[in-house]
């Protein structure tokens, strides 16, 4: 059985996505899943959606995806995110919008005999909870019975195993890493739940230049060069 790759939070960064998918192909991995946030932030959102759709990669709907299709592009806490989503709404193709609208809020994956449940964000709020850490009590409180909880949204790669053999995994972000490492992040899972975090350099200057061309200020794309969270 093929190894499993989990990708998340691409945010219109097709350059980083290509690098990640090339790496996945080189490894011969055919089981790929995406935890959402295909849109938001960067300019190649149509291309990102088209690529994931063409490859039949199962995806979850992230909070940016939801805001674009169901909330008129509004993310209440961020003027910047809202401004970008409203810009993307003007240019999104009908096909891409249709694909985004069809995304579920949950994926269930068989990971070498273990059951994994994936959400964009967390168990308390499937789409918009910043889960920076997970405790055994958190899993219990939310009656989580499966073996592995997989979440994205924070853009921070994380993995934690619990005494009862449950685990929590976050693959980090393909398109906008926020842990001080500017390389694209994703995760490979192999037999016996062997977890490998992969980091890949890509040419982020292409995104920075294109965003400039589209009239967006540097503070939105410059953090790609350093791997920092953008100031809102
Ligand atoms: Fe998100």
């Amino acid at each position: 059985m093929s190894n499993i790759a989990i990708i998340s939070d691409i945010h219109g960064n097709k350059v980083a996505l290509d690098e990640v998918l090339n790496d996945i192909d080189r490894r011969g991995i055919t089981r790929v899943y995406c935890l959402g946030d295909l849109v938001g932030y960067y300019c190649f959102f149509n291309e990102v959606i088209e690529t994931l759709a063409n490859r039949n990669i199962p995806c979850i709907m992230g909070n940016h995806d939801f805001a674009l299709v169901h909330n008129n592009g509004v993310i209440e806490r961020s003027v910047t995110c809202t401004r970008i989503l409203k810009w993307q709404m003007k240019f999104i193709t009908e096909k891409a919008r249709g694909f985004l609208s069809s995304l579920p809020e949950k994926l269930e994956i068989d990971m070498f005999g273990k059951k994994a449940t994936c959400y964009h964000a967390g168990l308390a709020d499937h789409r918009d909870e910043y889960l920076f850490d997970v405790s055994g009590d958190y899993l219990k409180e939310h009656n989580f019975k499966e073996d592995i909880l997989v979440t994205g949204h924070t853009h921070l790669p994380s993995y934690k195993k619990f005494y009862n053999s449950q685990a929590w995994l976050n693959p980090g972000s393909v398109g906008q890493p926020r842990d001080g490492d500017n390389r694209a992040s994703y995760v490979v899972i192999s037999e016996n739940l062997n977890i490998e975090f992969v980091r890949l350099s890509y040419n982020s200057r292409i995104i920075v230049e294109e965003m400039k061309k589209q009239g967006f200020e540097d503070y939105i794309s410059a953090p790609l060069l350093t791997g920092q969270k953008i100031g809102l």
Side-chain angles (χ1 to χ4, degrees), residues 121-126 129-131 133-144 149 151 162 168:
L123 294 173
D125 181 333
H126 296 165
E129 170 187 10
Y130 285 99
L131 209 52
D133 195 10
V134 168
S135 64
D137 284 349
Y138 174 87
L139 297 179
K140 241 186 248 164
E141 262 166 43
H142 295 283
N143 205 21
F144 187 76
L149 172 64
T151 60
F162 300 97
W168 166 59

Side-chain angles (χ1 to χ4, degrees), residues 115-119 122-123 131 134 138-139 144 146-151 167-170:
K115 277 188 183 168
T117 299
C118 313
Y119 295 105
L123 294 173
L131 209 52
V134 168
Y138 174 87
L139 297 179
F144 187 76
E146 290 77 20
D147 301 301
I148 306 145
L149 172 64
V150 189
T151 60
W168 166 59
L169 175 65
N170 185 323

Side-chain angles (χ1 to χ4, degrees), residues 5-107:
I6 302 195
I7 63 177
S8 189
D9 295 276
I10 302 158
H11 289 297
N13 188 338
K14 174 70 162 49
V15 187
L17 177 65
D18 283 345
E19 203 63 45
V20 165
L21 291 176
N22 286 340
D23 191 64
I24 287 171
D25 291 345
R26 266 197 301 273
R27 292 165 183 257
I29 297 173
T30 52
R31 299 177 69 200
V32 187
Y33 301 89
C34 174
L35 306 181
D37 273 359
L38 282 48
V39 302
Y41 294 114
Y42 306 118
C43 30
F44 300 117
F45 53 96
N46 277 319
E47 293 84 348
V48 164
I49 296 169
E50 198 184 341
T51 301
L52 297 177
N54 286 345
R55 284 183 171 239
N56 288 316
I57 293 175
C59 296
I60 292 172
M61 185 184 288
N63 59 310
H64 286 249
D65 309 321
F66 180 87
L68 190 150
V69 290
H70 294 305
N71 204 31
N72 200 25
V74 175
I75 291 190
E76 279 83 5
R77 63 172 170 272
S78 171
V79 175
T80 299
C81 292
T82 300
R83 180 158 61 92
I84 297 168
L85 282 171
K86 284 191 179 289
W87 175 80
Q88 294 185 345
M89 282 176 76
K90 281 196 242 165
F91 298 104
I92 192 163
T93 66
E94 212 171 299
K95 210 170 162 194
R97 184 187 251 280
F99 181 80
L100 273 193
S101 314
S102 73
L103 301 181
E105 69 169 20
K106 175 184 185 178
L107 283 176

Side-chain angles (χ1 to χ4, degrees), residues 97-231:
R97 184 187 251 280
F99 181 80
L100 273 193
S101 314
S102 73
L103 301 181
E105 69 169 20
K106 175 184 185 178
L107 283 176
E108 280 169 332
I109 309 174
D110 180 294
M111 285 188 182
F112 304 100
K114 300 279 186 194
K115 277 188 183 168
T117 299
C118 313
Y119 295 105
H120 178 64
L123 294 173
D125 181 333
H126 296 165
R127 217 158 12 228
D128 203 7
E129 170 187 10
Y130 285 99
L131 209 52
F132 293 108
D133 195 10
V134 168
S135 64
D137 284 349
Y138 174 87
L139 297 179
K140 241 186 248 164
E141 262 166 43
H142 295 283
N143 205 21
F144 187 76
K145 298 266 197 295
E146 290 77 20
D147 301 301
I148 306 145
L149 172 64
V150 189
T151 60
H153 193 45
T154 61
H155 299 207
L156 300 172
S158 320
Y159 179 56
K160 199 168 174 181
K161 267 171 141 174
F162 300 97
Y163 66 93
N164 61 357
S165 87
Q166 283 183 308
W168 166 59
L169 175 65
N170 185 323
S173 168
V174 169
Q176 194 197 64
R178 292 179 186 168
D179 60 349
D181 180 340
N182 64 3
R183 295 171 300 166
S185 176
Y186 83 100
V187 80
V188 174
I189 300 129
S190 51
E191 200 88 45
N192 300 320
L193 290 189
N194 205 17
I195 308 286
E196 182 191 352
F197 285 98
V198 183
R199 301 302 291 253
L200 297 163
S201 300
Y202 69 96
N203 190 354
S204 49
R205 297 228 166 250
I206 296 175
I207 303 291
V208 174
E209 287 310 314
E210 187 60 29
M211 288 295 282
K212 223 180 262 176
K213 232 189 259 172
Q214 300 298 336
F216 288 103
E217 303 88 332
D218 255 7
Y219 80 93
I220 298 169
S221 53
L224 288 179
L225 306 174
T226 54
Q228 306 294 332
K229 188 177 189 314
I230 83 163

